Structure formats: C-alpha cells, structure tokens
Amino acid sequence: MRLEKHPILKFKRKKEITFFYEGQAIIAYEDEPIAAALHAAGITTLSESPRFHRPRGFFCAIGKCASCVMEVDGVSNIRTCIVPAKYGMKVKKQTEAKIFPEEFSGSQIFKQTPVIKTDFAIVGGGPAGLSAAIYASRFGIKPLIIEENFLIGGQLIKQTHKFFGSKSHYASTRGIDIAKILINDVQERGINIWTSSSVVGFYPGNILGVVKEGRYYKVEAKTILISTGASEKSILFPGNDLPGVYGAGAIQTLMNVYGITPGKKVLILGAGNIGVIVAYQLLQAGIEVVAIAEALPRVGAYIVHSAKLKRLGVPIFTSHTISYVFGKDKVEQAEIAEINHKWQKIQGTEKRLNVDTVGLAVGLSPSVEILSQAGAKMTYIPELGGYISLHNMNMETSIPGVFIAGDISGIEEASSAMLEGRIAGLNAAKKIIGENKELEREIIKNQKELVELREGPFGEKIRIGNKKLYKEAKDNGIH
Ligand SMILES: Cc1cc2nc3c(=O)[nH]c(=O)nc-3n(C[C@H](O)[C@H](O)[C@H](O)COP(=O)(O)OP(=O)(O)OC[C@H]3O[C@@H](n4cnc5c(N)ncnc54)[C@H](O)[C@@H]3O)c2cc1C
Ligand code: FES
C-alpha cells in the first residue's frame, strides 16, 4: 500500500508508468524501484532460492543481499531494489542461479573497456563519500563519486529523526535534511557523480572495475576512497528467509523514501537505537508495532527514543528472542520466547504473535568486499562490527593511496562518517597537491573533532575497538 499522509514526509510522486511483471500490468511511478512498486501491488515474492525454490522477497533494499534479483528485459541478476521501474519494462521472477549477466561474459567487451582517469575516485555516495568529495574539492581536487543506487545520500535519505551531537555535525537536523545539505554542496561544486554505477572489481595500480548502465568501465585513480557503508545482519531461526522478514533499514527505505508500507502488523527484533527508531517511524506511518523483542536484559536505545515507545504502549520484551516465523509464501505469524543467560530458549515461555512483518535490527556488518578483494590487510574487531581493513588515523589502508571512511571502517553513526570522510578527502588531496599548511590545519581540526565526538559513555565501544585497531595497524607498518 502507498502512504498518502505522513506527519513529516510529503511523497511527491512523479509520472505514473506501467510495467509488466510475468505479463501482469503493474502501476509504478518514475524513480520508484521495481521491487518497491511490486510491493505496493502486493507482490512480495521476487525470486526463488536456487536449490529448494523457497520464496524470496527483499531484505536490505539497498542492493547488498541479492534476495531481490529478477530478470528485467531479458537480463538476469538485476537487483530490483535499486533499479527504477521504466515504462514497458518486462520483469520476471528469477528461479535459478545465474552467475554473471550474459552481456558481460564475452571477452570482447573487456577488450573494448573505456578507461577513465581521475585524481580521486570515491566509491559510495553516503555521508562519508559526499563529505570526502566536498573537502577534497575545497583544495582544488575534482573527485568522481561512483554510487550504485540511483539516489545519492546513502542511509541518510531515510532518516526522518533529528540527529544528536554538536552544531558542526548538524545536531537537531533530520537525517533527510542533512542529506540535502551535502547533496546540494556537492552539486554546487560541480562534482562529477555517476549514479546507478557499481564498483565490482579492484585491479593492481588502483584501478576500479565499474558497471554503469550496462557497460563496463575501468577507472584509474591516483587516490581512492572506499565508503561503501554496511549491510544488515540476519540471525538464524526457522522462516528467516520468508518474504516479510526485512532488515529494519529496509523497512525505513520502503516507508520513508518511497512511501510504501511494509505490512500492517510488525514485530521488531532488537531494542537498540535502530530498532526503536524504526518502530517509532512505523507508528508515525500508521502501522501497528505489535512488539519489540530484545535478547539482552535491557533496552540499548537512548532513553529519548525508547521513552516515546513506552508512552505509546508498545511492549518491549527484554531477554527474549524470535524462535520461529510461520507462513507459506510470506510471514503469517511469529513466535518469540524468553532466553536464559546462556541465550537458550526457556521452554514454556513461547508467545505467538499475529504479525505479517518482522524487522531485524540486530546489527550491521561493514561492506568490505572490494577492499578484501584488493588485498588490503584485514582484521576482525567485534567492537567495530566485524571484519574491517587496517587503517591509520588518516583513514589510509595498507594499500597506499586507498582510504576508507564511514561504516566500512567500523559501525558507528553518520556524524563520525562525515568526519572520517572529511579526513580521508583531505588526505587524498594532500597526496595529490603535496604539503599545504591550511590543509594540514583542517586535517588536525577534524581529527580532534572526531576524538571529541567519541568521548563519553556512548563512545566507549568504539574507543576500545579503535585502540585494538591502531595497535594492529602500527604492528603492520600502517601509521
Ligand atoms: C535505521 C538507522 C538509523 C540511524 N540513525 C542514526 C542517527 O540517529 N544518527 C547517526 O549519526 N547515524 C545514524 N545511523 C547510522 C548512519 O546512517 C550511518 O552510520 C551512515 O549512513 C554511514 O555512512 P556511510 O557513508 O559510511 O555509508 P552509507 O550511508 O551506507 O553509504 C554508502 C553508500 O555506498 C554505496 N555503495 C555500496 N557499495 C557500492 C559499490 N560497490 N559501488 C558503488 N556504490 C556502492 C551505497 O549504495 C550507499 O549509498 C542510522 C542508521 C540506520 C540504518
Ligand atoms: S539487494 Fe535488493 S533487497 Fe537486498
């Protein structure tokens, strides 16, 4: 169902168009992804698992999990959550594994690959990538931003709540408005942006392989920033792959970016900030939140967020987890149960909930695939979200001239992503223009602000993680 009224958002839909799903006419709007339009039309199964042909809906809604891949105009493996519907398109459910789009499999296409040269290639147009582009361009650098979504702004474009922090980190401004500020700045500076362009390879000599509008390009860059963000984690329980089980961020994307309701009755798993914020935003959109289940014995979200839910009467079951999701082709019911201190289910405490949607807010994993492929030195630091690439305080990795910033360097928040982006952008500029006093002052200023941001009890986990990281980086000669 499409939302018409919302207390914060106005959904200005563009021109109505029709496309075809398995021969059936589907109404969409220009700039609405195929998967979102299908969802609005009540079609939630988009593909099937290749071996057992179990139904698959979308899970991440940002191009990171592949559960929404479909055949579009004869081309398979299209991630329909990030590809807008077009008039007359023919879309089919994908029921078997396809390794590589056929049009890229002939060697001829690689021989004809155009090579684009740039001083600074930025992979990912979220808050980290956009900030890096802005700060590098302040020193005369002309970056190229490569973004796989057709929209830029990363996760900020779905965040309707106001941010914390200080004025220089846009405190009291909604995430959607911070995205607009950054995007306007980038556009006013005339920075080159490739949207709907995925970086799929990294070759020696700092060369990126990019798929853009059905063509393969090589981008040769003097410096590179990888700011690809993070992907949502799933957890094990029977039925966790059914359509209707989403990452909490996917619910936000569907609801806040495209104005489409994920369902009518929702169970959220995880009472950290993301789970609690998404639950509140569901209520704002007029959707019932049946319960939140949290495995820890306490609510992890800031009190300001969780208090709103308590006032609105949403039950939060602590020391509980999800034990089952029931349904044939989509979620019909979910079961939660109490767990003991060993995280084992306590028999007899099961509760069946009538829900059609389950939102998993159980953490994020840094999207490190490109760096790992590039051979950057990696490490595992649980406090930072898992595998990350070793880097120094200038955000440079073990590959000279290759920087990281934002969630890829450790799961944190948009404010730190912007600061890290600035530091990476400034250091990339330094590699190109050489020593410069003003540039050096800016690097130190932003590094100081980042340290200040992480002070206090909420920054403790990151401080512990970073201590481990910098020690290991130093031991590996990265400093
Ligand atoms: C529900 C929710 C609530 C949140 N609330 C807050 C909050 O209140 N305050 C706060 O500060 N933070 C909050 N955050 C966290 C914040 O959104 C992230 O920390 C921040 O967006 C990270 O920025 P980033 O630039 O690293 O990544 P992202 O914003 O994820 O951007 C990464 C970009 O890279 C692109 N990309 C990925 N792979 C490729 C590729 N191979 N080729 C090309 N492009 C690629 C993606 O499409 C994306 O646009 C919240 C997050 C969520 C999910
Ligand atoms: S890739 Fe489309 S839902 Fe995850």
Side-chain angles (χ1 to χ4, degrees):
M1 206 178 83
R2 286 191 176 83
L3 282 167
E4 299 307 333
K5 276 192 189 161
H6 193 281
I8 295 163
L9 299 163
K10 284 195 177 60
F11 299 109
K12 291 184 207 139
R13 296 192 170 94
K14 293 191 178 168
K15 194 174 152 205
E16 191 179 292
I17 50 166
T18 304
F19 71 98
F20 298 93
Y21 166 69
E22 305 278 357
Q24 179 191 342
I26 304 287
I27 302 288
Y29 293 88
E30 273 178 359
D31 283 351
E32 194 173 69
I34 299 165
L38 287 172
H39 210 288
I43 297 160
T44 50
T45 299
L46 309 174
S47 63
E48 288 177 8
S49 66
R51 270 179 80 194
F52 299 113
H53 297 281
R54 290 177 59 82
R56 293 275 188 268
F58 67 51
F59 177 75
C60 74
I62 51 167
K64 298 212 172 179
C65 74
S67 73
C68 67
V69 292
M70 301 182 89
E71 188 186 302
V72 177
D73 287 338
V75 180
S76 51
N77 285 342
I78 300 294
R79 290 169 293 173
T80 53
C81 66
I82 55 168
V83 173
K86 295 238 160 58
Y87 172 76
M89 253 178 178
K90 291 185 180 61
V91 177
K92 283 188 180 167
K93 190 160 81 173
Q94 192 166 311
T95 55
E96 57 189 58
K98 301 272 172 126
I99 305 304
F100 203 51
E102 273 143 33
E103 68 276 21
F104 295 129
S105 58
S107 57
Q108 222 23 42
I109 197 148
F110 288 102
K111 283 187 197 141
Q112 295 162 0
T113 302
V115 180
I116 312 290
K117 295 196 180 197
T118 180
D119 281 342
F120 185 25
I122 297 175
V123 187
L130 296 177
S131 303
I134 293 165
Y135 272 66
S137 100
R138 283 175 52 184
F139 290 89
I141 306 300
K142 289 197 167 73
L144 166 65
I145 301 176
I146 307 165
E147 166 55 59
E148 70 179 356
N149 207 318
F150 68 100
L151 301 171
I152 53 169
Q155 310 320 308
L156 284 179
I157 62 169
K158 58 195 183 196
Q159 290 168 21
T160 51
H161 57 285
K162 291 181 180 168
F163 276 38
F164 299 132
S166 68
K167 208 174 158 212
S168 73
H169 311 132
Y170 308 104
S172 300
T173 309
R174 296 184 197 281
I176 43 173
D177 295 324
I178 301 174
K180 280 181 201 151
I181 295 169
L182 294 176
I183 293 166
N184 281 345
D185 200 346
V186 162
Q187 283 169 344
E188 274 167 20
R189 288 168 188 277
I191 291 169
N192 196 3
I193 308 171
W194 286 5
T195 50
S196 300
S197 305
S198 292
V199 170
V200 295
F202 191 114
Y203 303 99
N206 290 355
I207 296 169
L208 299 169
V210 185
V211 176
K212 178 180 189 281
E213 288 153 11
R215 281 211 76 176
Y216 193 75
Y217 292 81
K218 280 185 182 165
V219 173
E220 197 181 320
K222 286 186 191 148
T223 55
I224 293 177
L225 168 67
I226 312 280
S227 49
T228 44
S231 59
E232 286 187 284
K233 289 181 182 165
S234 182
I235 52 169
L236 283 176
F237 56 88
N240 69 351
D241 59 343
L242 269 183
V245 178
Y246 304 100
I251 293 182
Q252 261 195 332
T253 304
L254 199 56
M255 194 169 60
N256 296 348
V257 181
Y258 305 116
I260 294 169
T261 55
K264 291 187 176 132
K265 286 167 163 271
V266 184
L267 164 69
I268 296 283
L269 206 71
N273 275 326
I274 293 186
V276 166
I277 287 171
V278 172
Y280 183 66
Q281 292 176 357
L282 280 159
L283 297 173
Q284 283 182 314
I287 299 161
E288 186 184 347
V289 179
V290 175
I292 301 182
E294 164 60 59
L296 292 174
R298 61 187 180 279
V299 172
Y302 296 151
I303 290 172
V304 62
H305 294 312
S306 59
K308 287 186 202 162
L309 287 186
K310 280 200 184 135
R311 276 200 302 276
L312 292 164
V314 175
I316 303 182
F317 294 97
T318 49
S319 298
H320 273 70
T321 191
I322 190 163
S323 42
Y324 227 103
V325 159
F326 303 93
K328 190 169 168 282
D329 296 321
K330 55 184 176 187
V331 177
E332 289 164 21
Q333 277 190 329
E335 183 189 86
I336 58 169
E338 202 174 334
I339 49 172
N340 62 22
H341 67 284
K342 288 184 181 162
W343 291 52
Q344 290 158 336
K345 180 174 145 182
I346 303 173
Q347 296 300 330
T349 61
E350 299 85 355
K351 297 167 196 61
R352 278 246 192 164
L353 305 173
N354 283 321
V355 294
D356 57 12
T357 306
V358 175
L360 303 183
V362 292
L364 301 164
S365 304
S367 298
V368 294
E369 295 81 359
I370 299 169
L371 278 165
S372 156
Q373 184 194 359
K377 283 186 183 155
M378 310 294 288
T379 186
Y380 186 82
I381 301 184
E383 291 85 354
L384 299 181
Y387 283 100
I388 55 162
S389 93
L390 291 177
H391 59 276
N392 60 20
M393 288 177 87
N394 289 328
M395 309 308 297
E396 193 169 12
T397 66
S398 59
I399 308 173
V402 177
F403 297 86
I404 54 172
D407 279 350
I408 189 179
S409 65
I411 305 300
E412 222 175 324
E413 51 178 28
S415 326
S416 45
M418 288 185 274
L419 281 169
E420 288 179 344
R422 291 177 192 178
I423 295 166
L426 290 164
N427 277 288
K430 188 174 158 184
K431 289 250 173 205
I432 297 160
I433 63 171
E435 295 291 332
N436 173 305
K437 274 192 184 152
E438 197 195 331
L439 205 155
E440 207 59 54
R441 265 198 302 274
E442 278 289 328
I443 293 173
I444 293 166
K445 180 172 166 267
N446 283 288
Q447 282 173 334
K448 207 168 144 249
E449 276 187 40
L450 191 55
V451 171
E452 282 164 11
L453 185 76
R454 289 170 177 157
E455 278 167 2
F458 290 113
E460 195 189 354
K461 205 165 118 190
I462 300 298
R463 291 199 300 273
I464 296 171
N466 276 342
K467 202 169 163 194
K468 293 183 189 172
L469 164 76
Y470 294 136
K471 184 184 175 304
E472 205 179 327
K474 201 169 168 208
D475 291 348
N476 279 275
I478 306 160
H479 46 81

